[in-house]
Amino acid sequence: MNKKTLLLIIPVSLMISSCADTPDSIKSNTHSTSDSTQIEASDAQGVYSDIDLAYDSAYTKISLPDKESIDVQSYDEIDSIELCYINSQLDQEYMTDVVDKLSASFGVLENVQTQTDDYTALRDDEKSRVKIEAFSRPYVRVELEDSDVCNANNGTVIKNELVFLDQLSDEEKDNVDAGVLEASDKALETAQAVGEIFGDQLEYQVSDAYILYGEDDVGYEIEIQKCYNGIAIQNLVSPSASASPHSDGAVLMSASMQSYADIDSDGQLLYYIGCDSFTVESITEIEDVITFKGACDILESELSDNVHYDFDSVQLMYEPYGYEVVDYSEAPKNITCTPKWYFIINKIEDESGMHMINYITVDVKTGEINVVM
């Protein structure tokens, strides 16, 4: 592990101003600063090496979450990557083959003929459905013997309870309902099986679990997050995020990275709805990585003196930027994933109870700050 000190000229950008005082959260009202800041950096193996020092620091502008909730890891390397859509050419033979394999894997519709058009392949009857949409988005619905089984798609849910599975301390993990853990295992197993069929080069982890309460039944909806080399790709959206594209037309693709599975109280899969699958087109290693404490120090230095944020989670994640597909006759452009420190404040959508986030990111290479509050 090599410890280094970087002399950074930190650009600070404000993604949106949804609150009246948001522009004042950064020292410079032009949202950029030329202040030179000395920041601790390391190779990938030492990216969390100074976490204890961060928690011992007397920060005045930020409060960190319970240290036990931080998923401390050591990486062989940390990279910027570009993702290429599998089946970007909309090969119908590929789509048909995938639907055939999905049907066999889930044990449904094996004697039903696959229907295809330019953008989809489908097997369907009144009870079950297996579908792939352009470019490689899977949808699986299995036969429900009991139409009243509690799930998110049949109007039986009275209320839900959200469990932040990737933000729990060790003590909280020990107290998670056994049904949630069983459903999470089933969802992860399903995602991995689907990814293997598609040829996806990414990994998977569980991020959130929704406990769905019906009149006299319970079900589970499990959110699946894609990863590369152990680093998750952002799949949660913010109520404060700007829908406006960058000057080059790129937009934040977090909503397009969502996948989830519905599991009933007996541990049986009801639905699986996934995002596209990808190959890793290019990899650029980052040799000098801003550490956990380095990112905290940047926020303490660059946030305005009149703000204070209480964060619910700090995670190293990829920020995915890409381009909305408006013309399927053209191959889609790659998605660029940049590793960043995410300082997260959880938000729960009032009507749906959906997990959303407000957050500040610190680029692990450049120290650039993005505020989404």
Side-chain angles (χ1 to χ4, degrees):
M1 179 185 71
N2 295 318
K3 293 285 288 185
K4 308 177 179 93
T5 300
L6 300 181
L7 186 63
L8 298 176
I9 307 298
I10 304 174
V12 183
S13 64
L14 185 68
M15 294 184 67
I16 190 169
S17 172
S18 65
C19 301
D21 63 347
T22 302
D24 295 329
S25 63
I26 302 296
K27 282 184 175 179
S28 168
N29 285 332
T30 62
H31 318 308
S32 64
T33 177
S34 60
D35 293 341
S36 297
T37 305
Q38 289 190 340
I39 295 298
E40 290 296 315
S42 175
D43 55 22
Q45 293 181 347
V47 70
Y48 283 101
S49 60
D50 53 9
I51 186 171
D52 290 339
L53 293 175
Y55 274 85
D56 289 339
S57 297
Y59 296 124
T60 62
K61 302 172 188 178
I62 64 173
S63 293
L64 297 172
D66 183 348
K67 188 168 67 172
E68 292 296 321
S69 70
I70 304 295
D71 185 16
V72 176
Q73 296 191 43
S74 176
Y75 305 96
D76 291 333
E77 65 180 57
I78 294 175
D79 309 297
S80 295
I81 59 174
E82 282 192 17
L83 302 179
C84 177
Y85 289 87
I86 286 180
N87 196 37
S88 61
Q89 301 299 322
L90 293 173
D91 184 328
Q92 288 192 11
E93 182 177 344
Y94 169 85
M95 290 192 290
T96 301
D97 180 60
V98 166
V99 166
D100 293 348
K101 291 178 178 178
L102 285 173
S103 296
S105 177
F106 288 94
V108 296
L109 301 167
E110 295 184 55
N111 297 318
V112 176
Q113 185 175 359
T114 300
Q115 307 169 50
T116 62
D117 58 29
D118 289 343
Y119 312 119
T120 62
L122 167 70
R123 287 190 185 188
D124 192 23
D125 64 16
E126 293 181 356
K127 298 178 180 179
S128 305
R129 169 172 286 201
V130 177
K131 184 179 183 181
I132 172 176
E133 297 179 315
F135 298 94
S136 49
R137 293 194 303 272
Y139 174 91
V140 177
R141 184 187 74 224
V142 303
E143 178 180 350
L144 297 176
E145 295 182 2
D146 182 355
S147 61
D148 293 329
V149 168
C150 182
N151 70 86
N153 294 283
N154 65 358
T156 58
V157 177
I158 298 172
K159 66 176 182 177
N160 64 50
E161 177 185 347
L162 178 56
V163 180
F164 306 111
L165 288 174
D166 61 347
Q167 298 183 18
L168 301 178
S169 66
D170 291 340
E171 181 179 352
E172 290 170 330
K173 290 176 184 176
D174 291 338
N175 294 320
V176 172
D177 180 81
V180 170
L181 299 179
E182 291 173 6
S184 299
D185 290 343
K186 178 67 174 181
L188 186 58
E189 174 188 313
T190 300
Q192 291 168 338
V194 171
E196 185 173 346
I197 290 171
F198 276 85
D200 196 351
Q201 292 185 349
L202 297 177
E203 306 145 11
Y204 303 84
Q205 69 177 29
V206 171
S207 54
D208 287 329
Y210 295 86
I211 306 175
L212 311 176
Y213 294 98
E215 192 72 36
D216 53 8
D217 192 21
V218 65
Y220 307 94
E221 186 167 289
I222 308 298
E223 190 85 19
I224 306 295
Q225 193 169 27
K226 293 199 173 185
C227 314
Y228 176 75
N229 277 356
I231 299 176
I233 301 172
Q234 181 189 355
N235 67 335
L236 293 175
V237 298
S238 170
S240 305
S242 172
S244 301
H246 282 188
S247 58
D248 64 353
V251 295
L252 185 62
M253 300 291 286
S254 52
S256 299
M257 303 301 293
Q258 294 178 342
S259 300
Y260 62 89
D262 274 35
I263 313 293
D264 72 11
S265 54
D266 293 325
Q268 299 300 308
L269 177 76
L270 305 178
Y271 297 89
Y272 181 79
I273 301 176
C275 67
D276 282 288
S277 295
F278 301 94
T279 60
V280 182
E281 186 80 357
S282 69
I283 302 170
T284 303
E285 183 178 359
I286 301 171
E287 295 184 356
D288 296 330
V289 180
I290 293 172
T291 62
F292 183 97
K293 182 177 184 296
C296 295
D297 291 348
I298 287 175
L299 294 188
E300 183 69 12
S301 171
E302 299 303 324
L303 291 175
S304 176
D305 292 336
N306 63 348
V307 301
H308 184 90
Y309 294 109
D310 291 300
F311 294 113
D312 297 308
S313 179
V314 181
Q315 300 179 22
L316 184 60
M317 286 197 296
Y318 279 110
E319 181 185 65
Y321 261 84
Y323 302 84
E324 294 180 348
V325 178
V326 295
D327 184 357
Y328 283 103
S329 66
E330 298 180 0
K333 295 181 179 179
N334 290 348
I335 296 176
T336 299
C337 294
T338 304
K340 296 187 174 185
W341 289 108
Y342 278 71
F343 293 79
I344 294 170
I345 299 174
N346 293 321
K347 304 290 289 185
I348 310 299
E349 210 276 334
D350 290 338
E351 294 186 5
S352 67
M354 183 177 67
H355 184 194
M356 307 182 81
I357 54 175
N358 283 335
Y359 57 93
I360 302 175
T361 63
V362 178
D363 189 300
V364 302
K365 179 180 179 181
T366 67
E368 178 182 11
I369 302 171
N370 284 335
V371 178
V372 187
M373 292 285 182

